[in-house]
Amino acid sequence: MLTGNFGTIRLGPRGGITGLDLPALLIQAQALGYDQPLLARLLPFAERGMVAGSAKVQTET
């Protein structure tokens, strides 16, 4: 779901990931026939992991 939706990733001024556009992802999930309640529970965890990974990369460089 996330790999093909780079437009739903919110970026900060320095290029780091600040979050996901969760409403847009849920609309796409509905259009694709995915289980929206399940994704509504899982996407915040994916968002936290992406933000943490981006922050780690930003501090290592």
Side-chain angles (χ1 to χ4, degrees):
M1 178 82 201
L2 294 175
T3 58
N5 294 302
F6 293 113
T8 59
I9 298 172
R10 294 182 311 201
L11 299 175
R14 295 182 182 214
I17 296 172
T18 60
L20 297 172
D21 187 349
L22 295 175
L25 284 168
L26 290 175
I27 290 169
Q28 290 176 2
Q30 181 182 22
L32 294 170
Y34 292 132
D35 186 346
Q36 283 184 294
L38 178 63
L39 282 174
R41 288 183 172 209
L42 293 175
L43 284 173
F45 292 102
E47 179 179 49
R48 280 187 236 150
M50 291 177 74
V51 170
S54 176
K56 183 178 178 183
V57 169
Q58 293 287 328
T59 59
E60 290 177 353
T61 57

